[in-house]
PDB file of all heavy atoms in Angstrom:
ATOM      1  N   GLY A  80      -9.692   5.265   0.804  1.00 93.00           N
ATOM      2  CA  GLY A  80     -10.788   4.934  -0.117  1.00 93.00           C
ATOM      3  C   GLY A  80     -11.130   3.458  -0.095  1.00 93.00           C
ATOM      4  O   GLY A  80     -12.298   3.074  -0.038  1.00 93.00           O
ATOM      5  N   TYR A  81     -10.105   2.606  -0.138  1.00 92.00           N
ATOM      6  CA  TYR A  81     -10.328   1.159  -0.115  1.00 92.00           C
ATOM      7  C   TYR A  81     -11.015   0.743   1.183  1.00 92.00           C
ATOM      8  O   TYR A  81     -11.971  -0.034   1.165  1.00 92.00           O
ATOM      9  CB  TYR A  81      -9.003   0.414  -0.273  1.00 92.00           C
ATOM     10  CG  TYR A  81      -9.145  -1.076  -0.150  1.00 92.00           C
ATOM     11  CD1 TYR A  81      -9.619  -1.836  -1.199  1.00 92.00           C
ATOM     12  CD2 TYR A  81      -8.828  -1.739   1.037  1.00 92.00           C
ATOM     13  CE1 TYR A  81      -9.770  -3.214  -1.097  1.00 92.00           C
ATOM     14  CE2 TYR A  81      -8.969  -3.105   1.150  1.00 92.00           C
ATOM     15  CZ  TYR A  81      -9.439  -3.833   0.087  1.00 92.00           C
ATOM     16  OH  TYR A  81      -9.592  -5.183   0.199  1.00 92.00           O
ATOM     17  N   ASN A  82     -10.546   1.260   2.311  1.00 90.00           N
ATOM     18  CA  ASN A  82     -11.146   0.882   3.589  1.00 90.00           C
ATOM     19  C   ASN A  82     -12.573   1.399   3.726  1.00 90.00           C
ATOM     20  O   ASN A  82     -13.432   0.708   4.280  1.00 90.00           O
ATOM     21  CB  ASN A  82     -10.264   1.355   4.750  1.00 90.00           C
ATOM     22  CG  ASN A  82      -9.073   0.451   4.923  1.00 90.00           C
ATOM     23  OD1 ASN A  82      -9.220  -0.741   5.147  1.00 90.00           O
ATOM     24  ND2 ASN A  82      -7.881   0.997   4.791  1.00 90.00           N
ATOM     25  N   LEU A  83     -12.846   2.592   3.223  1.00 94.00           N
ATOM     26  CA  LEU A  83     -14.219   3.098   3.260  1.00 94.00           C
ATOM     27  C   LEU A  83     -15.136   2.269   2.363  1.00 94.00           C
ATOM     28  O   LEU A  83     -16.316   2.097   2.664  1.00 94.00           O
ATOM     29  CB  LEU A  83     -14.262   4.566   2.844  1.00 94.00           C
ATOM     30  CG  LEU A  83     -13.706   5.550   3.862  1.00 94.00           C
ATOM     31  CD1 LEU A  83     -13.696   6.967   3.297  1.00 94.00           C
ATOM     32  CD2 LEU A  83     -14.488   5.497   5.168  1.00 94.00           C
ATOM     33  N   LEU A  84     -14.598   1.744   1.275  1.00 93.00           N
ATOM     34  CA  LEU A  84     -15.376   0.868   0.400  1.00 93.00           C
ATOM     35  C   LEU A  84     -15.636  -0.479   1.066  1.00 93.00           C
ATOM     36  O   LEU A  84     -16.741  -1.026   0.989  1.00 93.00           O
ATOM     37  CB  LEU A  84     -14.644   0.663  -0.926  1.00 93.00           C
ATOM     38  CG  LEU A  84     -15.266  -0.328  -1.897  1.00 93.00           C
ATOM     39  CD1 LEU A  84     -16.529   0.257  -2.509  1.00 93.00           C
ATOM     40  CD2 LEU A  84     -14.273  -0.694  -2.979  1.00 93.00           C
ATOM     41  N   MET A  85     -14.628  -1.036   1.721  1.00 90.00           N
ATOM     42  CA  MET A  85     -14.747  -2.369   2.316  1.00 90.00           C
ATOM     43  C   MET A  85     -15.534  -2.382   3.625  1.00 90.00           C
ATOM     44  O   MET A  85     -16.131  -3.400   3.970  1.00 90.00           O
ATOM     45  CB  MET A  85     -13.358  -2.962   2.545  1.00 90.00           C
ATOM     46  CG  MET A  85     -12.585  -3.220   1.269  1.00 90.00           C
ATOM     47  SD  MET A  85     -13.471  -4.202   0.048  1.00 90.00           S
ATOM     48  CE  MET A  85     -13.539  -5.780   0.862  1.00 90.00           C
ATOM     49  N   LEU A  86     -15.537  -1.278   4.354  1.00 90.00           N
ATOM     50  CA  LEU A  86     -16.209  -1.225   5.655  1.00 90.00           C
ATOM     51  C   LEU A  86     -17.681  -1.646   5.578  1.00 90.00           C
ATOM     52  O   LEU A  86     -18.101  -2.545   6.317  1.00 90.00           O
ATOM     53  CB  LEU A  86     -16.060   0.170   6.268  1.00 90.00           C
ATOM     54  CG  LEU A  86     -16.585   0.340   7.671  1.00 90.00           C
ATOM     55  CD1 LEU A  86     -15.787  -0.506   8.655  1.00 90.00           C
ATOM     56  CD2 LEU A  86     -16.526   1.810   8.079  1.00 90.00           C
ATOM     57  N   PRO A  87     -18.492  -1.064   4.699  1.00 91.00           N
ATOM     58  CA  PRO A  87     -19.894  -1.514   4.652  1.00 91.00           C
ATOM     59  C   PRO A  87     -20.046  -2.954   4.163  1.00 91.00           C
ATOM     60  O   PRO A  87     -20.988  -3.644   4.548  1.00 91.00           O
ATOM     61  CB  PRO A  87     -20.574  -0.535   3.687  1.00 91.00           C
ATOM     62  CG  PRO A  87     -19.484   0.176   2.984  1.00 91.00           C
ATOM     63  CD  PRO A  87     -18.248   0.061   3.807  1.00 91.00           C
ATOM     64  N   ILE A  88     -19.103  -3.422   3.331  1.00 88.00           N
ATOM     65  CA  ILE A  88     -19.179  -4.804   2.848  1.00 88.00           C
ATOM     66  C   ILE A  88     -18.998  -5.766   4.018  1.00 88.00           C
ATOM     67  O   ILE A  88     -19.754  -6.720   4.176  1.00 88.00           O
ATOM     68  CB  ILE A  88     -18.130  -5.049   1.739  1.00 88.00           C
ATOM     69  CG1 ILE A  88     -18.536  -4.277   0.481  1.00 88.00           C
ATOM     70  CG2 ILE A  88     -17.968  -6.533   1.455  1.00 88.00           C
ATOM     71  CD1 ILE A  88     -17.513  -4.293  -0.619  1.00 88.00           C
ATOM     72  N   TYR A  89     -17.989  -5.524   4.851  1.00 86.00           N
ATOM     73  CA  TYR A  89     -17.779  -6.394   6.008  1.00 86.00           C
ATOM     74  C   TYR A  89     -18.869  -6.197   7.057  1.00 86.00           C
ATOM     75  O   TYR A  89     -19.333  -7.152   7.672  1.00 86.00           O
ATOM     76  CB  TYR A  89     -16.413  -6.128   6.637  1.00 86.00           C
ATOM     77  CG  TYR A  89     -15.278  -6.757   5.887  1.00 86.00           C
ATOM     78  CD1 TYR A  89     -14.335  -5.982   5.229  1.00 86.00           C
ATOM     79  CD2 TYR A  89     -15.134  -8.144   5.820  1.00 86.00           C
ATOM     80  CE1 TYR A  89     -13.281  -6.562   4.538  1.00 86.00           C
ATOM     81  CE2 TYR A  89     -14.100  -8.734   5.127  1.00 86.00           C
ATOM     82  CZ  TYR A  89     -13.170  -7.930   4.492  1.00 86.00           C
ATOM     83  OH  TYR A  89     -12.137  -8.513   3.815  1.00 86.00           O
ATOM     84  N   TYR A  90     -19.270  -4.958   7.281  1.00 86.00           N
ATOM     85  CA  TYR A  90     -20.258  -4.664   8.313  1.00 86.00           C
ATOM     86  C   TYR A  90     -21.608  -5.297   7.998  1.00 86.00           C
ATOM     87  O   TYR A  90     -22.288  -5.818   8.882  1.00 86.00           O
ATOM     88  CB  TYR A  90     -20.410  -3.146   8.477  1.00 86.00           C
ATOM     89  CG  TYR A  90     -21.345  -2.748   9.572  1.00 86.00           C
ATOM     90  CD1 TYR A  90     -20.959  -2.836  10.906  1.00 86.00           C
ATOM     91  CD2 TYR A  90     -22.623  -2.298   9.294  1.00 86.00           C
ATOM     92  CE1 TYR A  90     -21.820  -2.486  11.919  1.00 86.00           C
ATOM     93  CE2 TYR A  90     -23.497  -1.951  10.301  1.00 86.00           C
ATOM     94  CZ  TYR A  90     -23.091  -2.043  11.607  1.00 86.00           C
ATOM     95  OH  TYR A  90     -23.954  -1.696  12.613  1.00 86.00           O
ATOM     96  N   SER A  91     -22.012  -5.287   6.722  1.00 89.00           N
ATOM     97  CA  SER A  91     -23.329  -5.803   6.355  1.00 89.00           C
ATOM     98  C   SER A  91     -23.403  -7.328   6.404  1.00 89.00           C
ATOM     99  O   SER A  91     -24.492  -7.882   6.510  1.00 89.00           O
ATOM    100  CB  SER A  91     -23.707  -5.327   4.945  1.00 89.00           C
ATOM    101  OG  SER A  91     -22.883  -5.964   3.985  1.00 89.00           O
ATOM    102  N   GLN A  92     -22.273  -8.013   6.310  1.00 86.00           N
ATOM    103  CA  GLN A  92     -22.216  -9.470   6.301  1.00 86.00           C
ATOM    104  C   GLN A  92     -23.190 -10.064   5.274  1.00 86.00           C
ATOM    105  O   GLN A  92     -23.865 -11.056   5.525  1.00 86.00           O
ATOM    106  CB  GLN A  92     -22.482 -10.038   7.694  1.00 86.00           C
ATOM    107  CG  GLN A  92     -21.437  -9.645   8.699  1.00 86.00           C
ATOM    108  CD  GLN A  92     -21.698 -10.245  10.069  1.00 86.00           C
ATOM    109  OE1 GLN A  92     -22.800 -10.679  10.377  1.00 86.00           O
ATOM    110  NE2 GLN A  92     -20.665 -10.274  10.878  1.00 86.00           N
ATOM    111  N   HIS A  93     -23.229  -9.452   4.111  1.00 87.00           N
ATOM    112  CA  HIS A  93     -24.104  -9.910   3.028  1.00 87.00           C
ATOM    113  C   HIS A  93     -23.640 -11.291   2.552  1.00 87.00           C
ATOM    114  O   HIS A  93     -22.452 -11.528   2.388  1.00 87.00           O
ATOM    115  CB  HIS A  93     -24.069  -8.901   1.877  1.00 87.00           C
ATOM    116  CG  HIS A  93     -25.120  -9.147   0.857  1.00 87.00           C
ATOM    117  ND1 HIS A  93     -24.981 -10.075  -0.148  1.00 87.00           N
ATOM    118  CD2 HIS A  93     -26.355  -8.597   0.707  1.00 87.00           C
ATOM    119  CE1 HIS A  93     -26.061 -10.086  -0.893  1.00 87.00           C
ATOM    120  NE2 HIS A  93     -26.913  -9.198  -0.401  1.00 87.00           N
ATOM    121  N   PRO A  94     -24.567 -12.204   2.329  1.00 87.00           N
ATOM    122  CA  PRO A  94     -24.198 -13.571   1.922  1.00 87.00           C
ATOM    123  C   PRO A  94     -23.322 -13.627   0.668  1.00 87.00           C
ATOM    124  O   PRO A  94     -22.466 -14.501   0.544  1.00 87.00           O
ATOM    125  CB  PRO A  94     -25.542 -14.259   1.677  1.00 87.00           C
ATOM    126  CG  PRO A  94     -26.524 -13.485   2.469  1.00 87.00           C
ATOM    127  CD  PRO A  94     -26.013 -12.074   2.527  1.00 87.00           C
ATOM    128  N   PHE A  95     -23.559 -12.710  -0.280  1.00 89.00           N
ATOM    129  CA  PHE A  95     -22.737 -12.722  -1.489  1.00 89.00           C
ATOM    130  C   PHE A  95     -21.265 -12.566  -1.149  1.00 89.00           C
ATOM    131  O   PHE A  95     -20.411 -13.268  -1.689  1.00 89.00           O
ATOM    132  CB  PHE A  95     -23.180 -11.621  -2.461  1.00 89.00           C
ATOM    133  CG  PHE A  95     -22.277 -11.533  -3.668  1.00 89.00           C
ATOM    134  CD1 PHE A  95     -22.391 -12.458  -4.694  1.00 89.00           C
ATOM    135  CD2 PHE A  95     -21.313 -10.552  -3.753  1.00 89.00           C
ATOM    136  CE1 PHE A  95     -21.557 -12.393  -5.803  1.00 89.00           C
ATOM    137  CE2 PHE A  95     -20.462 -10.480  -4.856  1.00 89.00           C
ATOM    138  CZ  PHE A  95     -20.594 -11.404  -5.884  1.00 89.00           C
ATOM    139  N   PHE A  96     -20.941 -11.639  -0.265  1.00 85.00           N
ATOM    140  CA  PHE A  96     -19.545 -11.407   0.091  1.00 85.00           C
ATOM    141  C   PHE A  96     -19.033 -12.432   1.104  1.00 85.00           C
ATOM    142  O   PHE A  96     -17.866 -12.798   1.083  1.00 85.00           O
ATOM    143  CB  PHE A  96     -19.354  -9.986   0.627  1.00 85.00           C
ATOM    144  CG  PHE A  96     -19.654  -8.942  -0.403  1.00 85.00           C
ATOM    145  CD1 PHE A  96     -20.780  -8.157  -0.303  1.00 85.00           C
ATOM    146  CD2 PHE A  96     -18.801  -8.751  -1.476  1.00 85.00           C
ATOM    147  CE1 PHE A  96     -21.064  -7.198  -1.265  1.00 85.00           C
ATOM    148  CE2 PHE A  96     -19.072  -7.797  -2.441  1.00 85.00           C
ATOM    149  CZ  PHE A  96     -20.208  -7.014  -2.333  1.00 85.00           C
ATOM    150  N   GLU A  97     -19.922 -12.911   1.960  1.00 85.00           N
ATOM    151  CA  GLU A  97     -19.524 -13.890   2.969  1.00 85.00           C
ATOM    152  C   GLU A  97     -19.081 -15.215   2.339  1.00 85.00           C
ATOM    153  O   GLU A  97     -18.289 -15.945   2.925  1.00 85.00           O
ATOM    154  CB  GLU A  97     -20.662 -14.142   3.961  1.00 85.00           C
ATOM    155  CG  GLU A  97     -20.959 -12.966   4.871  1.00 85.00           C
ATOM    156  CD  GLU A  97     -19.824 -12.645   5.811  1.00 85.00           C
ATOM    157  OE1 GLU A  97     -19.356 -13.548   6.526  1.00 85.00           O
ATOM    158  OE2 GLU A  97     -19.405 -11.473   5.839  1.00 85.00           O
TER     159      GLU A  97
END
Side-chain angles (χ1 to χ4, degrees):
Y81 175 79
N82 283 301
L83 287 175
L84 175 72
M85 295 307 292
L86 186 65
I88 290 173
Y89 282 113
Y90 183 76
S91 69
Q92 296 181 342
H93 191 278
F95 175 77
F96 296 109
E97 291 295 307

